[in-house]
Amino acid sequence: MTSASLSNETSVFAPSALLPEGWAEDVLFDLSSEGDIDAVHRGVASSAIPPGVQRCKGPVVPGMPNLHSHAFQRAMAGLAERSGPSDDSFWTWRQVMYGFVGSLTPDQAGAIAGQLYVEMLKAGYTAVGEFHYLHHGPDGLPYDDLAEMSRQVMGAAKRTGLGITHLPVLYGFGGFGGQTAGEGQRRFLNDPDRFLKLLEILFADAAGDPQAAIGIAPHSLRAVTPETLQAAVEGLAGFNPQAPIHIHISEQIKEVEDCLAWSGRRPVDWLYDNIDVDRRWCLIHATHMTEEETGRLASSGAVAGICPTTEANLGDGLFPARDFLAQNGTWGIGSDSHISISPVEELRWFEYGQRLAHRRRNLLGSEGEDQSVGAGLYRSALAGGAQALGRKIGRLEGGCRADLVVLDAEAPCLLGKNGDVLLDAMVFAGNVNPVRDVMVGGQWLVQEGRHRDEEALLLAFRSALEL
Ligand code: NGQ
Ligand code: ZN
């Protein structure tokens, strides 16, 4: 592989590749000048490979969508791991986070996102859902450019080459029933009018960019009222009736109790009772659900956005994964607070949480016998992640983005393993990054484990940390 970036029509050859129908050998991908896959040829004989075609040096899998990110939180990962004077919980972590976010400048936010997105790409994530709520200045007043902070994260995605679905957050209140927001939340707040203005700017910015999409994220049922939620959902439909809608939901027991006190319904039940939740929706966490709520989520076709390392780190609880998968629920993974940036670790802990809780093994494989659990997890997270991000990603087939991850088949834990077993080994056995090269939208961004712009982005990150 040369270090030159691909930009024009070209082809890439893979000794083996994970296609939608399964693993295939000797695969040639034709790419368009826009960075899509044009055609996929299987079983291409060596003699038939046109000269000049780039040859991948390992098995190729689709890049993983990371469906849930709060970019700025990468810079506070590790700063909230000390036991405090009182019981530490999600809510005390949130106070630390509010303190951290208080004085962050746009340049700092952009530099943190740049470094984070490099790390994502190197780990094999090729697209992110940026659930973005840090909108305003430290005093709570909007910047002259309402989209200043959004443009920082969009710019970081563009610079690093990561695909992005930008999800500006509607955040209006401090608790259920329209409670006044606290001081620590002042940088997040918008009413629906100002929120729709922001949305208009962002849709215009992203128009025609195959690497970017726009959706919305009502932060949580705690942060909106039924009226403002409705206004945001209707407003979005005016721009794109298919655009993704993400919401944090039912992550903590206190949240369930507060929702019951406010409405007499649990959060997931309340949402399904009041809103037409369909495949555009992604419910982040959805940790605490009754059997009935689990069934409603699964049968609606919405995506469950699972963030296992963050959910473990914050002491959320365990998503009812067995029940949900038994009902063919759709799910994907997110690195959320970025306590870890590794699709391997998210998938591993999704399965291990269930093994520990149920004292059984191989619990989250797809139905049917003799299924590779690691491979099944990887494939399901691709499909759910792609759906949640509303872009043509997650599949190596004509019409999708050319987002290719080349695995390092020479890594000791992968040596001698092929196909689904290779993915099992990757998900459960490795402790070093198995990713060698990464192409996103037809561009080689990571080669031999290095991102093309990593030195400059690291430098910017370093100076951003000198607060
Ligand atoms: C967030 N994070 O918005 O960053 C949230 C915490 C909240 C997670 N839920 C704040 N993991 O939910 O109020
Ligand atoms: Zn979140």
Side-chain angles (χ1 to χ4, degrees):
M1 213 172 281
T2 69
S3 60
S5 292
L6 290 176
S7 54
N8 289 314
E9 269 150 277
T10 186
S11 302
V12 177
F13 177 79
S16 64
L18 182 61
L19 304 183
E21 62 275 21
W23 283 93
E25 306 277 295
D26 300 324
V27 180
L28 190 67
F29 298 99
D30 294 337
L31 312 184
S32 78
S33 53
E34 289 81 38
D36 288 338
I37 297 173
D38 259 351
V40 182
H41 313 278
R42 309 141 120 257
V44 177
S46 227
S47 56
I49 303 172
V53 164
Q54 303 185 53
R55 291 168 185 255
C56 300
K57 296 213 175 87
V60 169
V61 294
M64 181 60 71
N66 182 346
L67 60 66
H68 192 63
S69 161
H70 308 290
F72 73 85
Q73 289 178 15
R74 178 58 176 165
M76 67 163 280
L79 298 182
E81 306 300 325
R82 297 174 70 87
S83 53
S86 60
D87 239 11
D88 277 326
S89 70
F90 172 90
W91 307 102
T92 56
W93 171 87
R94 192 172 78 153
Q95 279 313 121
V96 176
M97 187 266 279
Y98 288 168
F100 178 81
V101 88
S103 61
L104 218 56
T105 67
D107 283 349
Q108 286 172 324
I112 295 165
Q115 173 62 26
L116 169 69
Y117 292 170
V118 165
E119 291 178 53
M120 284 189 192
L121 286 162
K122 290 167 74 163
Y125 287 122
T126 48
V128 69
E130 186 58 48
F131 194 114
H132 174 83
Y133 57 84
L134 181 55
H135 297 303
H136 309 308
D139 50 5
L141 296 175
Y143 291 103
D144 292 342
D145 173 5
L146 203 52
E148 170 78 45
M149 281 294 197
S150 284
R151 285 177 164 156
Q152 291 291 338
V153 289
M154 295 284 279
K158 188 152 224 125
R159 176 148 186 209
T160 58
L162 186 69
I164 188 166
T165 298
H166 186 63
L167 305 158
V169 167
L170 176 65
Y171 202 120
F173 304 97
F176 289 98
Q179 294 168 41
T180 306
E183 278 284 284
Q185 297 163 332
R186 65 190 180 278
R187 300 189 72 176
F188 317 154
L189 306 177
N190 280 313
D191 61 15
D193 276 354
R194 195 159 74 190
F195 179 69
L196 293 180
K197 280 191 192 117
L198 173 62
L199 213 52
E200 187 176 356
I201 298 170
L202 295 175
F203 267 102
D205 276 7
D209 183 349
Q211 285 297 103
I214 305 294
I216 61 167
H219 179 274
S220 54
L221 293 178
R222 293 174 268 125
V224 297
T225 60
E227 295 74 28
T228 62
L229 174 59
Q230 197 63 44
V233 170
E234 280 169 16
L236 176 68
F239 293 102
N240 176 2
Q242 304 304 325
I245 306 171
H246 291 213
I247 187 168
H248 290 126
I249 198 154
S250 216
E251 183 179 7
Q252 285 280 321
I253 296 291
K254 180 181 183 320
E255 179 181 356
V256 176
E257 289 168 352
D258 289 354
C259 190
L260 279 165
W262 164 64
S263 68
R265 301 293 279 159
R266 301 167 58 87
V268 173
D269 272 335
W270 188 92
L271 191 71
Y272 279 86
D273 287 351
N274 289 279
I275 302 279
D276 183 16
V277 179
D278 59 19
R279 290 173 48 85
R280 292 172 303 158
W281 283 74
C282 179
L283 275 57
I284 304 298
H285 307 305
T287 311
H288 301 288
M289 294 193 288
T290 60
E291 264 179 55
E292 198 195 332
E293 287 176 303
T294 307
R296 294 178 94 174
L297 173 49
S299 63
S300 70
V303 180
I306 314 291
C307 309
T309 60
T310 294
E311 289 157 12
N313 185 267
L314 297 182
D316 288 343
L318 281 174
F319 178 80
R322 279 180 86 192
D323 223 17
F324 185 68
L325 267 60
Q327 301 180 69
N328 291 317
T330 304
W331 60 276
I333 51 168
S335 62
D336 190 350
S337 68
H338 313 304
I339 194 70
S340 164
I341 304 168
S342 157
V344 165
E345 212 182 349
E346 301 306 335
L347 297 175
R348 185 182 295 176
W349 281 103
F350 192 37
E351 167 73 19
Y352 277 178
Q354 298 300 308
R355 291 192 191 187
L356 289 164
H358 297 285
R359 293 182 237 147
R360 292 281 184 281
R361 301 190 68 248
N362 293 327
L363 290 169
L364 300 182
S366 14
E367 285 133 76
E369 282 161 36
D370 199 20
Q371 292 259 348
S372 277
V373 172
L377 290 168
Y378 197 88
R379 279 179 232 243
S380 299
L382 287 174
Q387 180 182 322
L389 298 191
R391 297 181 55 240
K392 298 202 94 184
I393 54 176
R395 295 165 72 85
L396 301 181
E397 68 179 7
C400 288
R401 300 299 287 156
D403 293 355
L404 276 58
V405 168
V406 183
L407 300 175
D408 179 9
E410 298 300 311
C413 80
L414 302 185
L415 263 184
K417 309 204 169 64
N418 292 303
D420 282 357
V421 176
L422 179 102
L423 291 178
D424 286 343
M426 177 179 94
V427 169
F428 294 110
N431 291 305
V432 290
N433 184 8
V435 173
R436 183 194 154 90
D437 308 300
V438 180
M439 169 183 278
V440 182
Q443 306 277 329
W444 287 113
L445 302 177
V446 175
Q447 291 188 300
E448 294 182 24
R450 298 182 69 78
H451 182 271
R452 64 182 185 190
D453 207 10
E454 67 176 46
E455 284 85 5
L457 287 155
L458 179 60
L459 220 75
F461 180 65
R462 286 179 89 103
S463 46
L465 288 187
E466 286 158 15
L467 301 168

